[in-house]
Amino acid sequence: MKKHFSLNLIGFFGVLVAGVMIFLTILAATGSFHYRKITLTIQTGAAEKKYDGKPLTSSQWFLVSGEVAAEHELIVEPLGSQTEIGKSENAASIRVVDSSGLDVTEQYEIIPKYGELEVQRSKLSFISESAEKIWDGQPLKNEKVRLVDGSVYDGAEWKAGEYASPTDVGRYHNTYTITITDPDGVDITEKYDIEREYGDLTIRQGHLLLASGSGTKEYDGTALTNDECRIVEGSVAEGHKIQMRAIGSIQEVGFSRNTIQATITDADGMDVSDLYDITYNTGLLTITPRRLTIQTMDVTRPYYAKAIADDWMLIGGSLLEGDELSVKTIQNSEDALYSDEIGTFDNSVVYYDIINKNDYMNRSGCYQIAFLYGTLILTE
C-alpha cells in the first residue's frame, strides 16, 4: 500500500508541474505574460575632423545606465562612418549573449544613444602678391599666390589661376581662382572653406609737374595771394580730372612758398592722386617793407635847457591806418648825452617803434626807415 501511495504522489506532482508549464507556455504565446526586461542605455562615441578624403569612425561606446546579468555579455559594435562633408549618427550593432553564446538580447530593453560623426571643411587662406608699373599700354600681372594658413591633405594639390590683368591706369585687386584636386586628379575644391586676400595691381600715369604763380608787393596790411596754378609737365589719364589751386598766403613782411593743393579723381569721383608721381614748382610770395623817411630837426640850446619834445617829422612815405610811429632823438634822450656835454652833434635817432593801436602789435619790422639827421648844438 505504501508503495502505491508514493507512486501516486509522484505522479500527481509530475502532472501538476507539467500543467503549470503548459499554462505558462500558453500565457507567453498569447502575450498575456511578460518577463520583466532589464533596461540598458548605451552611448556610442562622437568624433569630428577636417576633410581628408578618408572615413571618420569611432569605436568607443559607453554603458550609460543599466547592468547585464553576471552570466551575460554585452557586445556593442559601432558601425558609423562619415567621409564626405557633413554629419551622421554613429549607429551600432548591440546584442547580449549568455555564457554559451546564445543571443538573449530579447531579455533586455536597449535604449541606444548615437554619437555624431562630423567631417568639416578645412579652412585655407591664400594671398596674392602686389605689383605696379608706369602705364605702357600692356597688361600688368603678378601670378604669385601663397597659402598662408591651413593645408591640403597629403596627396592633394592646389593651384591658382585666372589672374587679373588690368591695362588702364588705376588700382585693381589681384584676383585669382583656386582649384584643389585629389591624388586622382578629381576636383575637390568644394570640400574646403577658402578665404582669399588680394594684393594690389597698380598702374600709374607717371610724372606730373604742377606750378603756381609768384607775387610781390609792398606791405599794406592785407594778404598777398596768387591763385595761378597750371600743369607744366605730364597729363592726367583719360577719364581722370584734376582739381588744383594755389593756397599760399602772406600778410607780414617776408616771403613764403605759394603752395599747391591738388586732387585727381576718376570717373566715379574716387581720389586717385596716388596714381601719379606729382612734384611741385611753387611760386614765391614776397612782401617788402613799407618805406618811410624821417627828418630830425636842427636844434640849438644850452645843454642844461629842457629838451625839445617833437624834433622830427615824417617827410617820405606814409603809415598804414592804425599804425603809430614813436621816435626818440639824441636831443631829447636823457641817456644819450652827458648833462655837461657841450658841442655840435648829429641829431640822430636812438630809438623808434611802430605800434598798431588796434591790436597793440609791434609793426616796426614791416617798415624800412631812412633817416636824415639835423644838427644838435649844445651851448653853455
Side-chain angles (χ1 to χ4, degrees):
M1 285 295 292
K2 288 183 178 180
K3 183 177 182 180
H4 287 294
F5 177 76
S6 298
L7 290 173
N8 289 336
L9 186 58
I10 291 172
F12 172 76
F13 280 110
V15 172
L16 180 60
V17 171
V20 171
M21 292 299 294
I22 293 171
F23 176 72
L24 292 176
T25 300
I26 293 172
L27 287 177
T30 60
S32 300
F33 175 78
H34 298 280
Y35 294 105
R36 183 179 180 182
K37 295 184 177 181
I38 299 174
T39 301
L40 302 177
T41 301
I42 297 167
Q43 172 76 58
T44 59
E48 63 179 36
K49 70 171 182 177
K50 302 297 184 181
Y51 175 80
D52 61 4
K54 300 176 183 178
L56 171 65
T57 62
S58 175
S59 60
Q60 290 185 325
W61 62 272
F62 311 91
L63 180 59
V64 178
S65 64
E67 186 177 353
V68 296
E71 67 275 15
H72 293 170
E73 179 185 0
L74 175 61
I75 301 174
V76 180
E77 298 177 10
L79 304 173
S81 178
Q82 181 71 28
T83 302
E84 299 302 319
I85 304 296
K87 303 175 183 179
S88 62
E89 292 182 338
N90 188 15
S93 168
I94 303 172
R95 58 195 181 94
V96 182
V97 298
D98 63 14
S99 57
S100 62
L102 182 65
D103 191 321
V104 293
T105 308
E106 63 180 10
Q107 297 182 23
Y108 295 84
E109 180 182 356
I110 296 177
I111 302 175
K113 292 186 176 182
Y114 298 137
E116 188 174 75
L117 302 175
E118 180 178 7
V119 176
Q120 304 168 344
R121 283 183 171 82
S122 184
K123 184 176 180 180
L124 304 177
S125 294
F126 295 87
I127 187 170
S128 58
E129 295 189 4
S130 299
E132 64 176 66
K133 71 173 184 177
I134 301 299
W135 180 84
D136 59 4
Q138 299 300 314
L140 173 62
K141 277 190 173 185
N142 188 334
E143 299 182 352
K144 293 182 179 179
V145 174
R146 294 179 288 116
L147 176 60
V148 294
D149 189 28
S151 62
V152 296
Y153 69 84
D154 291 343
E157 295 182 350
W158 66 268
K159 183 179 181 181
E162 299 182 22
Y163 299 92
S165 56
T167 303
D168 297 328
V169 172
R171 177 174 287 104
Y172 310 86
H173 289 312
N174 188 13
T175 57
Y176 54 92
T177 60
I178 295 293
T179 303
I180 303 172
T181 55
D182 68 11
D184 297 323
V186 177
D187 189 330
I188 56 171
T189 308
E190 65 176 12
K191 309 295 185 184
Y192 290 83
D193 182 9
I194 298 175
E195 290 185 353
R196 299 175 182 84
E197 291 186 46
Y198 303 123
D200 289 328
L201 298 177
T202 304
I203 301 178
R204 301 186 183 276
Q205 175 67 8
H207 180 65
L208 200 62
L209 175 61
L210 307 181
S212 60
S214 298
T216 301
K217 73 171 183 177
E218 186 181 76
Y219 171 72
D220 63 4
T222 64
L224 172 63
T225 62
N226 186 339
D227 60 3
E228 177 191 355
C229 194
R230 65 192 185 280
I231 298 176
V232 179
E233 294 178 6
S235 61
V236 297
E238 183 178 354
H240 289 183
K241 181 179 180 181
I242 184 169
Q243 294 178 323
M244 56 182 174
R245 62 191 183 104
I247 60 173
S249 178
I250 185 172
Q251 188 165 335
E252 303 294 328
V253 170
F255 62 88
S256 68
R257 289 293 176 183
N258 191 12
T259 53
I260 300 171
Q261 187 176 75
T263 303
I264 303 173
T265 54
D266 62 15
D268 297 322
M270 299 296 292
D271 190 333
V272 292
S273 304
D274 60 349
L275 297 179
Y276 294 79
D277 177 20
I278 304 176
T279 55
Y280 301 93
N281 185 4
T282 54
L284 193 64
L285 300 175
T286 304
I287 293 183
T288 60
R290 194 175 183 86
R291 295 179 181 273
L292 301 176
T293 302
I294 294 175
Q295 171 73 63
T296 63
M297 297 177 182
D298 294 332
V299 176
T300 300
R301 65 174 175 83
Y303 72 88
Y304 53 81
K306 184 178 180 180
I308 298 173
D310 297 319
D311 61 344
W312 63 273
M313 68 178 62
L314 182 62
I315 64 172
S318 62
L319 292 165
L320 293 182
E321 184 179 354
D323 287 349
E324 296 182 341
L325 174 63
S326 298
V327 176
K328 186 176 288 293
T329 66
I330 192 172
Q331 185 272 146
N332 59 24
S333 174
E334 296 179 356
D335 299 328
L337 295 170
Y338 294 109
S339 61
D340 59 351
E341 280 191 282
I342 298 173
T344 300
F345 309 92
D346 285 334
N347 191 14
S348 58
V349 173
V350 295
Y351 169 82
Y352 76 91
D353 64 16
I354 301 173
I355 303 295
N356 185 277
K357 67 180 180 180
N358 297 316
D359 59 14
Y360 303 102
M361 295 295 293
N362 192 315
R363 295 286 193 271
S364 300
C366 297
Y367 292 82
Q368 180 177 334
I369 302 178
F371 298 99
L372 298 176
Y373 297 144
T375 300
L376 170 63
I377 302 174
L378 296 179
T379 63
E380 292 185 5

